[in-house]
Structure formats: C-alpha cells, structure tokens
Amino acid sequence: MPGGAGDRERAAVADQFSSTRALLVEDDPNIVDLIRSNLAVRGFDTVVSADGLRALQLLDTEAPDIVLLDLMLPEVDGFELCRQIRERSSVAIIVVSARGGERDKVTALNMGADDYMTKPFSIEELLARIAATLRRTRPASQPE
C-alpha cells in the first residue's frame, strides 16, 4: 500500500542520512552489492575500495563519515588498516568481518574500531549500528 507507515519511516531514515558518505572496504562483490544497495535506499553516498591502499586514498579524498571495514583484505591487513585510519582520522569505523573470535574483536576495538559485526549479518542490525555509531561520532547539530 503506497504512502503507508513503512514508506514514511524509510523516507525519514533517508533524510537523516542524505548527506552521509560511507567508505566500504570490502573485496567480496556480493557483500559490496548488498551493503551498497541498502545504504543507497537510505540516502547514503557510498564509495567502495577492495583493498587497503585504495581505502587510505579514499579516506583522504572522499572524507567519509563512516568506514565499514572487512579485516580479510588483499595487500594490507585489516587490523593494520584500522590502525592507520585511526591515526589519520576520527572517522567512525565499524568492522564487518567473518572473523568472529573474541581475540579478533578485542584487537579491532583496541586498534580504533568503534564497533564490530560478524558475517553473516542482518542488514537491519548493520543499519542500526551505523545509525548508533554516527549518533556518537558526529557533532550534535545546533538547535535553531
């Protein structure tokens, strides 16, 4: 039914993120398509890197609001990339990885990640974690 509560809710969420840029660092094209399409529907501008070296370039040129970071990447280790991103920027970082061990989670959080999700994941949970992380990391807008 057009114009229902679900449509209004999606429109409100899209408005909330209409100027939000996400950097997705992921080498699996299926996961890239899944995340990028779901973020686009919600108003995100998403840039993608399949490797760590390109991700660092995009961090500088695209000024993302949030980074979604896989740990198992070609060229640069995801933990090291997380550390390098944190050295350069206070951008929000959510690790999205198939590595679900406690040691991996603790290492990523200690390297500067703000949150950690394991694959497979629910897209709704990922979107909620993105929203929560952005609430914490973005400066509060001033009341008019």
Side-chain angles (χ1 to χ4, degrees):
M1 181 167 147
D7 290 341
R8 285 191 299 274
E9 182 179 304
R10 276 188 293 280
V13 169
D15 286 346
Q16 177 184 0
F17 297 119
S18 62
S19 63
T20 302
R21 176 166 287 158
L23 171 56
L24 175 56
V25 187
E26 171 64 65
D27 61 338
D28 181 331
N30 294 323
I31 293 177
V32 168
D33 289 345
L34 171 72
I35 293 176
R36 185 172 28 198
S37 62
N38 277 282
L39 291 179
V41 167
R42 287 155 180 89
F44 282 81
D45 176 24
T46 305
V47 290
V48 178
S49 174
D51 68 79
L53 298 175
R54 177 85 175 120
L56 289 173
Q57 292 172 342
L58 290 171
L59 181 69
D60 293 336
T61 61
E62 300 295 325
D65 299 290
I66 190 161
V67 175
L68 303 176
L69 175 63
D70 184 21
L71 291 178
M72 294 184 285
L73 297 166
E75 311 295 326
V76 177
D77 172 73
F79 294 117
E80 175 61 19
L81 180 57
C82 185
R83 187 188 65 73
Q84 289 181 28
I85 290 170
R86 186 53 69 226
E87 279 181 356
R88 296 174 180 219
S89 172
S90 61
V91 67
I93 303 170
I94 299 177
V95 170
V96 183
S97 178
R99 296 171 67 162
E102 180 182 19
R103 176 169 286 162
D104 291 324
K105 292 176 184 177
V106 169
T107 300
L109 293 167
N110 285 336
M111 291 283 193
D114 296 291
D115 201 352
Y116 193 110
M117 285 190 67
T118 54
K119 298 174 187 172
F121 57 89
S122 146
I123 198 69
E124 292 302 320
E125 182 181 358
L126 176 62
L127 293 166
R129 287 176 181 261
I130 289 170
T133 301
L134 288 172
R135 277 195 306 271
R136 287 193 309 272
T137 59
R138 277 185 163 169
S141 58
Q142 298 298 319
E144 308 227 354

